[in-house]
Amino acid sequence: QVQLVESGGGLVQAGGSLRLSCAASGRTFTIWQMGWFRQAPGKEREFLGAINWSGAYPNYADSVKGRFTVSRDNANNSVSLRMNSLKPEDTAVYYCAADLSGRFGPPKYDYWGQGTQVTVSA
């Protein structure tokens, strides 16, 4: 199994930037890709972006493409989510998740972190 811990959330003013990190432990050698998601109260969980565990093939949801960047940090078995030009509607709990079966087909995120709160003020 895989354990994930997000960090880096906080309060930021609209237009600002924030960098989230997700540290993975356990059977990290089984990870195919890492994804970032967010969920605001009363709303469905939203996919933001993902990256292969090797750092290749980053991809993003259209809603954040150009503002958010997912990267693989080899140190500490982690991935990062860099968020620029933040808007109040970006306020949500942000989660990272591990996909272990994407190499065989569509991604299936079976392991999740506890989430980190991001609040963007107007």
Side-chain angles (χ1 to χ4, degrees):
Q1 59 182 11
V2 175
Q3 295 82 44
L4 306 173
V5 179
E6 302 95 338
S7 62
L11 177 65
V12 63
Q13 191 173 357
S17 300
L18 202 61
R19 179 179 179 271
L20 307 181
S21 295
C22 175
S25 61
R27 298 177 181 267
T28 58
F29 58 88
T30 65
I31 296 174
W32 174 247
Q33 67 178 346
M34 296 288 293
W36 283 96
F37 300 78
R38 68 185 179 189
Q39 187 167 23
K43 298 183 179 179
E44 294 292 320
R45 185 176 59 204
E46 178 187 11
F47 170 78
L48 302 174
I51 192 169
N52 189 275
W53 191 233
S54 70
Y57 311 114
N59 60 93
Y60 304 92
D62 290 339
S63 60
V64 301
K65 192 173 185 179
R67 291 196 302 127
F68 290 11
T69 302
V70 179
S71 61
R72 170 75 162 92
D73 300 321
N74 292 329
N76 301 312
N77 268 350
S78 65
V79 295
S80 297
L81 178 67
R82 179 69 179 182
M83 304 181 291
N84 296 323
S85 301
L86 285 165
K87 310 170 183 178
E89 51 263 44
D90 292 321
T91 296
V93 176
Y94 284 69
Y95 300 89
C96 64
D99 165 30
L100 275 58
S101 60
R103 71 188 73 188
F104 306 114
K108 296 175 64 179
Y109 293 97
D110 298 315
Y111 298 95
W112 297 78
Q114 83 288 349
T116 185
Q117 176 70 45
V118 173
T119 302
V120 184
S121 62

